[in-house]
Amino acid sequence: MTATPVDYELLLPDGWFRIGIDPASRERSVDALVDRRFGGRDNAPHLKRRLRDDLLAQAATAYDLGGIELYLSMQQAGALTVPASLLVTLLPPGGASGAADASVVELAAGTALRRRGCTGAESEGGEAHPSVTLDYQVPVPGTETHLLLTFSSPLVQIADAMVALFDAVAGSLRWKGRKQRRE
């Protein structure tokens, strides 16, 4: 028999916000984050509207990519927000993939495939904006599926520090509520 988890938990730093990406909860979740970010002030309605629209688009994209949870950092470093994100995706059987530049690591939740990279996204003006990325692909015990944690931050100047933070979050992954399955 293999124990199959019912859920998982992650420990995130203070200042990270979970956005509900499911269409039923998306707008309510994004509105809560925007209200939190602007602290109840409405002195910049155009910025507030743009942030809301951007977050709704990100949440919709995450959902369309198979995401189940999206977390955004609202963590403050002085007057600046530390931009980072975590998308959690459940990969179906056969959806797991290996990568040549990946390494195998041990987490509390089990053996995982870890891959660090750098991507370059284009802005509306055609400028390239690089981001440091870190993926963890963790097999879900008792199933053929994998949990994919995809971390990203545009702070490439402090990439090693951001990766250390991402490693710590991934290291906190724990399976919850295991049920027994006969094999």
Side-chain angles (χ1 to χ4, degrees):
M1 283 203 270
T2 302
T4 303
V6 177
D7 203 355
Y8 65 89
E9 65 181 15
L10 285 167
L11 299 176
L12 291 151
D14 286 340
W16 282 63
F17 191 89
R18 181 186 179 276
I19 294 181
I21 59 176
D22 183 81
S25 62
R26 187 179 302 152
E27 286 195 30
R28 185 175 57 251
S29 182
V30 165
D31 288 343
L33 176 58
V34 170
D35 287 345
R36 180 187 215 182
R37 180 71 180 118
F38 282 87
R41 296 178 309 243
D42 204 14
N43 59 347
H46 58 288
L47 292 176
K48 198 172 181 179
R49 170 53 90 188
R50 183 173 175 189
L51 176 61
R52 183 181 189 277
D53 291 346
D54 288 348
L55 290 174
L56 284 171
Q58 288 177 27
T61 299
Y63 183 79
D64 292 345
L65 293 173
I68 54 177
E69 291 190 300
L70 175 62
Y71 296 91
L72 295 178
S73 169
M74 300 302 290
Q75 196 172 14
Q76 294 293 128
L80 302 174
T81 300
V82 178
S85 65
L86 166 59
L87 176 61
V88 181
T89 308
L90 192 60
L91 299 176
S97 63
D101 59 344
S103 60
V104 175
V105 297
E106 290 298 324
L107 301 176
T111 302
L113 191 64
R114 178 185 183 273
R115 186 173 129 328
R116 178 178 173 169
C118 189
T119 62
E122 272 191 29
S123 68
E124 292 174 13
E127 292 180 50
H129 295 284
S131 290
V132 61
T133 60
L134 186 66
D135 293 337
Y136 275 91
Q137 191 171 297
V138 186
V140 178
T143 72
E144 294 181 21
T145 60
H146 288 76
L147 195 66
L148 177 63
L149 308 177
T150 302
F151 297 91
S152 180
S153 175
L155 297 177
V156 293
Q157 304 85 344
I158 58 168
D160 290 342
M162 295 307 295
V163 166
L165 173 66
F166 299 159
D167 282 333
V169 172
S172 75
L173 177 66
R174 302 280 189 277
W175 300 115
K176 291 174 44 177
R178 294 179 185 226
K179 60 183 177 182
Q180 296 294 316
R181 189 180 105 188
R182 293 192 185 274
E183 293 191 15

